[in-house]
């Protein structure tokens, strides 16, 4: 048994014995779904049956107990059969009690029963007040033949284990269960947060966007004049030599003033946006209308214009420049997949963006990036209609450049797009008094986005282009939304809550960690003395000693970036040495280093050295004997101590998803759909490679590579192979070496010739 599985099993059994059932569930579920450790998995499932019974989750206990009745171990099989009989009787008793209980269900006007499209999973269940009264009887629902106590008190050893050598019995997939935790009936307003960081970041985002656009404009102007100079009989255009700053500022402020109507036109013509009437909205969520009316009346606002996008994925966004010009847009998928109170919390979160004024800068960013993305999309569609002739590669290069500009422009607002969601979540909980509904809404949006990608078999243009303004990012939804049926959310979100370097690893993400957001919502629920939808606070009882990530590992992870400041220090030492030598007349080489360009050379050399130091750990050799297979994917996602440098070697089989043609020319949309969930793939093409990964999209493939657990889990591909034997190699180590050598050579050239 691997050491990680052993420690997880031991910790889970200890928590079970101490009565910390939620903690035990979080520790045992990843191991219970594992197929690589038959004995440990069987032991974990027995423990889970006990823990589920203790907290009143009879349905889960019965589903898991049914799989144990198929065990080849006679002791386990006998115990499971007896336990199943008692659990079934307990379930029938619980149903009768729930019918006679006056307080067993969430009772308020805007319940999920008002929602005509509400799914069965989102309908109210008996609340924890009832669970507490029935859990005592459930504790006696398991057979007392000595096996239960023996299981809890027995320690686990790497060999043999409790049951000795047992056959593996495949566990049925866990369904997505919703606790349907209640809302606050009376609540005190939360302490007002300081908006200064958000306002400063909004101003900084505008400055960063302006600077990037100015540099792009200056580069384009310089390239045009350079081309005109080189061409015969043509003269450069003198106005292109002028400073574009005043002109660009005028354009940006004009864009802010016209952003509501310009975005109306863009979204209506290219995304099918149309008005959403209040009557239609009331059919899905009666509470939303009351929330909008009440809050806007308090702030003396007009109710924002309500719009809808005909998109199956659940999306929501807000744009405008003033509260009276604000628009709140939702997708058809959001209305159909969320319950009444959950839709209301999403609309309340959009009101938060208006109240905090961050929607002004985000509207400008959307207005700038949408045309750029639309040009990239149009070029891709044109290029796909061309045969690989003389115009194919110019169109491909142009589309790639447009996509690069779009990434650069969206990158200016990553910090603001993350921070603003914390503020809007807080205000949404305060407006509705229902942080639990917002928790369910965020998780259902992630599930809906993952489902949409699975059905479409690629990331849609709408998801990617509107991603910055949506409540949940599409990339963070891939793993979380698709694996949700295999593990509890508490287990899947452990990394978001416990990993000490999680915020550093999310620095390039457009959205904050969902686990971090839900943790704050759970704190609000505790503050108002209501039971939270997820018991994430119980995860904090996990010993920090179980997190095996060390500072040395993290420093190795960021070694290339650490090389940059170290290169700057090295440049300072060199400058100081030559100044000292010149002062004491040892050497007269000061003239060489009066040109500060040598500092750039030192920075490149430092980056190169850091890349080389990290390379061996980042790309270890892969052998068939030490790879993780598909069924262990949920376990890998639930490991709170993993970071990308761990380079877990994996061998996964599944369907390759992604966009076809030029729209995926840099392999930015490659996803593996395995039997346990979706995983993003990173591929780097080799020059002159005859087979392109896009040729394999839609086919069954085998992926061998390095799994990396970050804010967005991904796999760096080593090989991609079809069932017919066609193989694609992704030379990540070779390109890393090329990058390090190129940076070293360039830095040395600047250092010696500057």
């Amino acid at each position: 048994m691997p050491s990680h599985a052993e420690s997880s099993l031991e910790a889970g059994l200890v928590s079970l014995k101490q009565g910390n059932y939620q903690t035990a569930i979080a520790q045992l579920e990843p191991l219970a779904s594992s197929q690589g450790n038959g004995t440990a998995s069987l032991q974990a499932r027995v423990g889970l049956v006990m823990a589920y019974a203790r907290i009143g989750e009879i349905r889960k206990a019965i589903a898991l107990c049914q799989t144990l009745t198929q065990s080849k171990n006679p002791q386990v099989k006998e115990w499971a059969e007896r336990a199943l009989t008692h659990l079934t009787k307990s379930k029938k008793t619980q149903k009768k009690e729930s019918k006679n209980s006056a307080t067993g269900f969430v009772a308020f006007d805007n319940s999920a029963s008002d929602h005509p499209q509400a799914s069965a999973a989102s309908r109210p269940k008996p609340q924890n007040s009832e669970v507490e009264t029935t859990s005592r009887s459930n504790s006696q629902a398991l057979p007392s033949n000595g096996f239960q106590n023996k299981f809890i008190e027995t320690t686990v050893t790497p060999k043999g284990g409790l049951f000795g050598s047992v056959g593996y019995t495949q566990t049925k997939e866990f369904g997505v269960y919703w606790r349907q935790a209640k809302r606050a009936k009376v609540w005190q307003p939360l302490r007002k947060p300081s908006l200064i960081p958000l306002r400063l970041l909004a101003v900084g985002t505008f400055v960063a966007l302006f600077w990037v656009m100015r540099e792009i404009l200056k580069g384009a102007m310089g390239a045009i004049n350079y081309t005109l100079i080189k061409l015969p009989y043509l003269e450069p255009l003198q106005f292109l030599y002028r400073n574009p700053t005043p002109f660009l500022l005028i354009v940006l402020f004009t864009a802010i003033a016209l952003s509501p109507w310009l975005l109306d036109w863009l979204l209506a013509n290219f995304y099918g946006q149309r008005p959403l009437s209040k009557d239609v909205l009331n059919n899905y969520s009666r509470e939303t209308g009351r929330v909008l009316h009440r809050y806007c009346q308090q702030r003396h606002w007009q109710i924002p214009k309500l719009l809808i996008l005909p998109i199956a994925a659940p999306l929501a966004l807000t744009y405008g420049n003033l509260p009276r010009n604000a628009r709140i847009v939702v997708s058809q998928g959001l209305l159909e997949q969320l319950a009444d109170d959950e839709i209301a919390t999403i609309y309340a979160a959009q009101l938060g963006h208006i109240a905090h004024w961050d929607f002004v800068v985000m509207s400008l960013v959307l207005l700038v990036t949408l045309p750029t993305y639309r040009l990239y999309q149009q070029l891709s569609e044109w290029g796909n209609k061309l045969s690989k002739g003389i115009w194919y590669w110019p169109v491909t290069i142009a589309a790639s450049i447009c996509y690069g500009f779009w990434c650069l422009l969206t990158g200016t607002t990553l910090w603001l797009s993350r921070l603003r969601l914390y503020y809007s979540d807080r205000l949404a909980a305060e407006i509705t008094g229902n942080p639990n509904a917002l928790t369910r809404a965020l998780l259902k949006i992630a599930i809906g986005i993952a489902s949409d990608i699975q059905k479409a078999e690629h990331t849609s243009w709408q998801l990617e282009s509107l991603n910055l303004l949506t409540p949940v990012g599409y990339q963070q939804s891939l793993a979380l939304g698709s694996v949700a049926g295999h593990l509890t959310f508490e287990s899947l979100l452990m990394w978001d809550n416990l990993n000490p370097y999680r915020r550093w690893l999310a620095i390039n993400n457009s959205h904050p960690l969902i686990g971090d957001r839900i943790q704050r919502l759970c704190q609000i629920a505790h503050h108002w003395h209501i039971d939270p939808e997820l018991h994430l606070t119980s995860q904090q009882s996990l010993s920090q000693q179980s997190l095996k990530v060390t500072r040395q590992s993290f420093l190795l992870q960021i070694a290339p970036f650490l090389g940059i400041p170290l290169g700057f220090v090295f440049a300072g030492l060199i400058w100081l040495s030559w100044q000292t030598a010149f002062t004491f007349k040892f050497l007269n080489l000061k003239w060489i280093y009066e040109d500060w360009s040598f500092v750039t050379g030192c920075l490149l050399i430092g980056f190169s050295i850091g890349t080389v130091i990290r390379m061996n750990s980042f790309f270890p050799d892969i052998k068939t004997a030490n790879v993780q297979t598909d069924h262990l994917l949920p376990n890998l996602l639930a490991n709170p101590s993993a970071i990308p440098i761990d380079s877990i070697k994996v061998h996964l089989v599944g369907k390759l998803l992604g966009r076809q043609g030029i729209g995926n020319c840099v392999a930015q949309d490659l996803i593996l759909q395995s039997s346990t969930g979706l995983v993003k793939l990173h591929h780097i093409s080799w020059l002159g490679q005859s087979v392109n990964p896009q040729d394999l999209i839609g086919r069954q493939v085998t992926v061998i590579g390095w799994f990396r657990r970050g804010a967005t889990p991904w796999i760096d591909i080593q090989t991609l192979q079809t069932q017919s034997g066609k193989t694609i190699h992704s030379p990540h180590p070779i390109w890393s070496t090329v990058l390090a050598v190129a940076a070293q050579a360039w830095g040395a050239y600047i250092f010696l010739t500057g």
Side-chain angles (χ1 to χ4, degrees):
M1 187 191 309
S3 58
H4 174 70
E6 178 185 351
S7 60
S8 298
L9 182 59
E10 290 178 351
L13 297 183
V14 171
S15 299
L16 183 63
K17 185 176 182 180
Q18 294 175 349
N20 299 326
Y21 302 122
Q22 292 291 347
T23 303
I25 290 172
Q27 293 166 326
L28 294 176
E29 276 189 339
L31 194 57
S33 61
S34 170
Q35 298 178 4
N37 300 294
T39 302
S41 177
L42 186 61
Q43 295 168 341
R45 276 178 273 157
V46 173
L48 279 176
V49 173
M50 299 177 188
Y52 286 146
R54 293 299 189 275
I55 65 173
E57 296 283 358
I58 304 301
R59 291 178 60 189
K60 290 185 179 181
I62 290 175
L64 194 54
C65 203
Q66 287 174 345
T67 66
L68 292 174
T69 58
Q70 303 173 11
S71 174
K72 296 181 180 179
N73 185 284
Q75 187 182 13
V76 177
K77 184 176 181 179
E78 179 185 359
W79 180 87
E81 289 174 350
R82 297 185 62 186
L84 187 59
T85 302
H86 289 283
L87 288 170
T88 305
K89 293 180 181 178
S90 177
K91 183 180 179 181
K92 293 180 180 179
T93 303
Q94 183 175 344
K95 286 184 177 180
K96 292 180 181 179
E97 292 177 357
S98 64
K99 290 181 180 179
N100 298 327
S101 175
T103 60
F105 293 88
V106 178
F108 47 87
D109 292 339
N110 50 314
S111 63
S113 60
D114 294 331
H115 195 311
Q117 302 291 339
S119 63
S122 63
R123 292 173 187 165
K125 293 182 181 180
Q127 296 302 305
N128 288 346
S129 58
E130 182 182 347
V131 171
E132 291 175 0
T133 60
T134 58
S135 61
R136 295 181 181 178
S137 61
N138 294 338
S139 65
Q140 304 299 327
L142 300 180
S144 56
N145 58 356
F147 174 79
Q148 175 179 334
N149 294 332
K150 178 183 178 183
F151 174 81
I152 298 177
E153 295 174 359
T154 303
T155 58
V156 182
T157 56
K159 299 179 181 179
L162 175 62
F163 306 121
S165 177
V166 298
Y168 174 76
T169 305
Q170 186 174 0
T171 306
K172 294 183 180 179
E173 294 182 3
F174 299 123
V176 179
Y177 295 95
W178 304 103
R179 185 171 288 110
Q180 292 292 339
K182 60 185 179 180
R183 65 196 302 155
K185 296 182 179 179
V186 179
W187 65 95
Q188 295 295 327
L190 300 172
R191 185 179 62 181
K192 291 184 177 180
S194 174
L195 295 177
I196 294 177
L198 185 64
R199 301 282 168 78
L200 292 177
L201 195 53
V203 174
T205 299
F206 176 83
V207 173
L209 179 66
F210 162 75
W211 183 82
V212 170
M213 292 185 66
R214 188 188 66 176
E215 294 304 311
I216 293 175
L217 186 58
K218 288 171 64 176
M221 293 163 59
I224 292 172
N225 271 348
Y226 179 80
T227 303
L228 293 176
I229 291 173
K230 293 298 183 180
L231 293 175
Y233 311 114
L234 295 177
E235 295 293 333
L237 302 175
Q238 295 303 314
F239 73 90
L240 293 180
Y241 288 117
R242 297 175 184 174
N243 185 4
T245 299
F247 169 76
L248 186 57
L249 285 174
I250 293 173
V251 170
L252 290 180
F253 282 112
T254 304
I256 291 176
L258 300 177
S259 61
W261 300 277
L262 293 176
L263 285 171
D264 283 345
W265 183 84
L266 285 171
L267 292 174
N269 283 274
F270 300 123
Y271 294 83
Q273 178 177 275
R274 63 182 186 273
L276 175 63
S277 67
K278 293 182 180 179
D279 292 336
V280 174
L281 179 60
N282 285 335
N283 290 335
Y284 291 100
S285 174
R286 296 180 181 179
E287 183 183 356
T288 299
R290 297 195 295 269
V291 167
L292 291 173
H293 178 76
R294 183 177 67 248
Y295 188 77
C296 292
Q297 189 177 41
Q298 292 173 355
R299 303 296 292 261
H300 304 290
W301 292 349
Q302 297 178 4
I303 293 180
K305 189 176 181 179
L306 305 181
L307 302 165
I308 187 171
L309 294 170
I311 299 174
L315 303 177
L317 56 100
T318 300
Y319 63 87
N321 52 18
L322 293 171
R324 66 172 178 268
N325 294 328
R327 284 92 159 105
I328 298 180
V329 187
V330 298
S331 66
Q332 184 68 34
L334 184 134
L335 296 179
E336 293 179 351
Q337 297 175 36
L338 269 59
D340 183 345
D341 55 344
E342 297 158 4
I343 295 174
T345 59
I346 294 298
Y347 270 91
Q350 303 309 307
L351 290 175
H353 296 313
I354 301 173
H356 300 142
W357 291 90
D358 57 79
F359 78 120
V360 178
V361 176
M362 297 302 295
S363 299
L364 175 63
V365 173
L366 186 63
L367 184 58
V368 170
T369 56
L370 275 187
T372 308
Y373 192 91
R374 177 61 184 171
L375 180 59
Y376 152 69
Q377 179 184 352
Q378 191 64 55
L379 287 172
S380 301
E381 293 175 353
W382 286 342
N384 292 337
K385 296 177 182 178
L386 300 173
S387 59
K388 291 191 176 181
I390 187 173
W391 291 107
Y392 180 80
W393 290 111
V395 172
T396 301
I397 294 173
S400 301
I401 293 174
C402 289
Y403 187 76
F405 284 154
W406 178 80
C407 292
L408 194 60
L409 292 170
T410 55
T412 61
T413 190
L414 292 181
W415 286 1
L416 178 61
S417 65
R418 287 200 303 270
L419 182 63
R420 74 191 196 110
L421 291 175
Y422 289 120
Y423 285 87
S424 65
D425 288 350
R426 181 186 180 94
L427 187 60
E430 188 172 16
I431 292 174
T432 61
N434 201 350
N436 291 322
L438 182 55
T439 296
R440 293 191 296 271
L442 296 177
L443 295 173
K444 288 183 180 180
I445 289 174
I447 295 173
I449 291 175
S451 176
D452 181 75
I453 293 175
Q454 284 182 310
K455 291 178 181 178
E457 298 190 354
H458 67 274
T459 305
S460 66
W461 303 104
Q462 296 92 335
L463 271 179
E464 188 171 39
S465 58
L466 300 176
N467 181 61
L468 274 178
L469 275 71
T470 57
V472 179
Y474 74 93
Q475 290 192 347
Q476 64 181 172
S477 301
L478 287 175
L480 175 62
S482 60
V483 184
H486 299 266
L487 288 177
T488 62
F489 289 113
E490 286 89 348
S491 300
L492 287 173
L493 298 176
M494 281 173 57
W495 191 94
D496 293 3
N497 295 316
L498 295 179
N499 193 286
Y501 303 109
R502 59 191 182 277
R503 291 185 177 88
W504 286 102
L505 296 174
I507 198 170
N508 61 340
N509 278 38
S510 59
H511 291 71
L513 297 168
I514 292 184
D516 195 15
R517 296 170 67 182
I518 293 178
Q519 174 68 30
R520 297 174 187 232
L521 293 174
C522 291
Q523 291 174 355
I524 295 175
H526 285 297
H527 178 71
W528 288 337
H529 305 289
I530 58 177
D531 190 49
E533 179 69 23
L534 301 181
H535 291 287
L536 295 181
T537 53
S538 64
Q539 306 297 321
Q540 305 302 331
S541 62
L542 292 171
S543 174
Q544 293 295 328
Q545 296 178 355
S546 63
L547 298 178
K548 299 180 180 179
V549 59
T550 62
R551 179 170 296 182
Q552 289 78 8
S553 298
F554 179 70
L555 293 178
L556 187 61
Q557 167 71 38
I558 62 173
F561 307 101
L562 283 180
I564 296 176
L566 292 178
F568 186 80
V569 173
F570 180 61
L573 293 176
I574 291 177
W575 178 84
L576 183 62
S577 300
W578 286 114
Q579 287 288 345
T580 304
F582 176 77
T583 301
F584 290 100
K585 299 181 180 180
F586 294 151
L587 291 172
N588 188 9
L589 295 176
K590 180 184 177 182
W591 60 272
I592 297 179
Y593 296 98
E594 286 180 344
D595 184 357
W596 286 94
S597 62
F598 81 94
V599 176
T600 304
C602 292
L603 299 183
L604 289 170
I605 293 173
F607 174 80
S608 173
I609 294 174
T611 302
V612 172
I613 291 175
R614 189 184 69 169
M615 194 176 304
N616 287 336
S617 298
F618 215 57
F619 301 106
D621 293 336
I622 296 180
K623 300 178 181 178
T624 55
N626 61 355
V627 296
Q628 306 283 347
T629 51
D630 174 48
H631 57 266
L632 290 178
L633 178 60
N635 197 15
L636 297 177
L637 293 171
N639 182 8
S641 63
I643 60 175
I645 194 64
D646 292 335
S647 304
I648 302 171
K649 298 171 280 292
V650 293
H651 177 281
L652 304 183
V653 178
K655 188 177 183 180
L656 185 64
L657 309 181
R659 282 198 294 267
Q660 298 275 3
I662 295 177
N664 201 10
C665 55
V666 291
Q668 72 271 26
D669 186 40
L670 288 181
I671 303 167
L672 181 70
Q673 179 184 357
S674 69
S675 61
T676 53
L678 300 177
V679 188
K680 186 171 180 57
L681 302 178
H682 283 185
H683 168 73
I684 299 180
S685 296
W686 185 247
L687 298 178
Q689 187 171 260
S690 58
V691 182
N692 195 301
Q694 297 177 50
D695 301 333
L696 308 182
I697 289 176
R699 300 172 61 180
Q700 199 78 3
V701 296
T702 300
V703 176
I704 298 177
W706 301 272
F707 176 84
R708 309 201 186 279
R709 184 58 166 104
T712 300
W714 80 93
I715 295 175
D716 283 334
I717 300 174
Q718 185 190 56
T719 59
L720 193 68
Q721 188 175 16
T722 65
Q723 293 177 331
S724 61
K726 184 181 294 184
T727 303
I728 296 177
H729 296 277
S730 187
H732 285 280
I734 297 177
W735 277 114
S736 295
T737 304
V738 171
L739 178 63
V741 172
Q744 185 83 12
W746 190 12
Y749 175 79
I750 295 175
F751 183 82
L752 296 176
T753 62

